């Protein structure tokens, strides 16, 4: 049986592994795989995990908060598949799968399979190494996004007799520094395999219930709802 894999993702190149053979597929290109009716397909994105720090705000304003730290994490995937018995080449489109946590500034990425003739029986998301990224995220969160003004009064206060700056620095620590430690303590959970895999599985279920696409978020605020209504009217968007 022949399966045609189409790379419709945002990744420049993915690696597909099927029946012990490797296929490297560039973006918007395809590869034909010879396999059985029931088979295992692994997709490796090849993209490294990234931490983005908003250095621009720090240089311009001298300050940035935790919203300026964005973690982008990529997981590979293994699929248990079965094709229908009809003749002809089966087509599987490999699409992006994205689970976002905009409140915590985390983006979890993997891949999603779209096909009319091949059914996904099971999906396993394969973890990638995030240890270095987690350490950097902790460092940025604690030192750069909250303590940037704590260092200055401490240094100045060390050389100025009877200066109130150390006291102000201590107050600053409890007001701003301590909450940053609380946020940093939660990083372990947001980097954990359990949480990332659960987030991707939940998003996969959403895609399957919506024809292989994410469900657009509903506007919450009054202004957002009004703007959404105007756009729907202008562009005649159908709900």
């Amino acid at each position: 049986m022949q399966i045609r894999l189409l790379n419709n993702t945002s990744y420049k190149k993915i690696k597909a592994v099927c029946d012990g053979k490797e296929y490297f597929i560039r973006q918007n290109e395809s590869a034909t795989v010879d396999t059985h009716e029931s088979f295992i397909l692994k997709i490796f994105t090849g993209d490294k995990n990234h931490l983005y720090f908003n250095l621009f705000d720090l240089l311009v304003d001298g300050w940035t908060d935790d919203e300026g730290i964005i973690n982008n994490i990529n997981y590979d995937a293994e699929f248990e598949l079965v094709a229908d018995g009809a003749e002809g080449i089966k087509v599987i489109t490999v699409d992006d799968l994205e689970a976002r946590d905009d409140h915590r500034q985390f983006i979890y990425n993997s891949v999603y399979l779209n096909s009319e003739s091949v059914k996904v029986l099971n999906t396993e998301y394969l973890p990638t190494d995030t240890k270095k990224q987690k350490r950097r995220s902790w460092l940025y969160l604690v030192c750069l996004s909250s303590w940037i003004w704590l260092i200055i009064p401490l240094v100045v206060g060390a050389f100025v007799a009877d200066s109130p700056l150390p006291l102000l620095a201590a107050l600053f620590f409890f007001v701003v520094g301590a909450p940053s430690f609380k946020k940093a303590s939660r990083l372990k959970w947001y980097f954990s395999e359990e949480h990332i895999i659960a987030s991707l599985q939940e998003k996969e279920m959403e895609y399957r219930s919506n024809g292989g696409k994410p469900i657009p978020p509903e506007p919450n605020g009054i202004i957002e709802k009004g703007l959404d209504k105007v756009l729907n009217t202008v562009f005649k968007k159908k709900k």
Side-chain angles (χ1 to χ4, degrees):
M1 177 174 289
Q2 289 188 321
I3 306 292
R4 186 163 69 91
L5 300 174
L6 172 63
N7 180 6
N8 192 44
T9 69
S10 58
Y11 300 107
K12 293 182 179 179
K13 184 171 63 176
I14 60 174
K15 181 175 75 172
V17 178
C18 184
D19 293 340
K21 296 182 180 179
E22 297 181 353
Y23 304 85
F24 294 91
I25 313 171
R26 295 187 179 276
Q27 190 177 43
N28 299 321
E29 294 184 0
S30 63
T32 301
V33 177
D34 290 313
T35 186
H36 306 285
E37 185 173 326
S38 299
F39 60 101
I40 301 294
L41 176 67
K42 293 182 180 181
I43 301 291
F44 298 88
T45 66
D47 255 27
K48 295 182 179 180
N49 299 323
H50 291 286
L51 183 150
Y52 300 97
F53 180 70
N54 194 345
L55 185 61
F56 180 78
D57 283 350
L58 183 62
L59 294 176
V60 174
D61 301 329
W63 175 266
T64 185
D65 57 19
D66 58 306
E67 292 185 357
I69 301 173
I70 301 174
N71 281 286
N72 196 336
I73 299 174
N74 299 284
Y75 265 39
D76 303 317
E78 177 179 314
F79 301 94
E80 182 182 351
L81 306 170
V82 60
D84 62 31
E87 296 182 356
I89 299 177
K90 317 298 181 184
V91 179
I92 298 177
T93 302
V94 185
D95 291 322
D96 290 316
L97 178 70
E98 181 184 84
R100 300 176 64 97
D101 187 335
D102 292 329
H103 181 62
R104 297 296 178 185
Q105 306 300 314
F106 275 84
I107 304 174
Y108 306 125
N109 303 289
S110 190
V111 293
Y112 178 86
L113 302 187
N114 263 313
S115 179
E116 295 182 356
S117 54
V118 179
K119 183 178 180 180
V120 178
L121 301 180
N122 186 52
T123 304
E124 290 189 17
Y125 295 102
L126 310 177
T128 53
D129 187 11
T130 60
K131 292 180 181 178
K132 183 177 180 180
Q133 183 180 1
K134 182 166 63 175
R135 288 196 298 267
R136 289 181 59 198
S137 185
W138 189 95
L139 180 67
Y140 286 177
L141 181 61
V142 172
C143 297
L144 292 182
S145 69
S146 296
W147 284 12
I148 192 66
W149 294 113
L150 177 61
I151 299 174
I152 297 175
L154 283 175
V155 173
V156 174
F159 294 96
V160 179
D162 300 325
S163 171
L165 291 179
L167 180 61
L168 293 176
L171 178 62
F172 181 87
F173 170 77
F174 285 107
V175 174
V176 180
S180 73
F181 267 110
K182 185 177 181 180
K183 294 176 182 177
S185 67
R186 298 171 181 165
L187 288 176
K188 183 177 180 181
W189 170 244
Y190 290 100
F191 275 102
S192 69
E193 295 178 8
E194 178 186 357
H195 175 67
I196 296 175
I197 291 174
S199 299
L200 290 171
Q201 288 174 336
E202 181 180 354
K203 185 59 64 171
E204 180 186 13
M205 291 177 61
E206 176 186 315
Y207 277 40
R208 295 200 186 286
S209 66
N210 195 46
K213 297 180 180 180
I215 299 175
E218 291 291 334
N220 296 319
I222 297 176
I223 297 178
E224 290 82 358
K225 289 181 178 179
L227 180 60
D228 184 66
K229 186 175 181 180
V230 171
L231 292 176
N232 290 344
T233 302
V234 172
F235 294 101
K236 297 181 180 180
K237 178 180 175 183
K238 296 182 179 180
K239 294 284 187 181

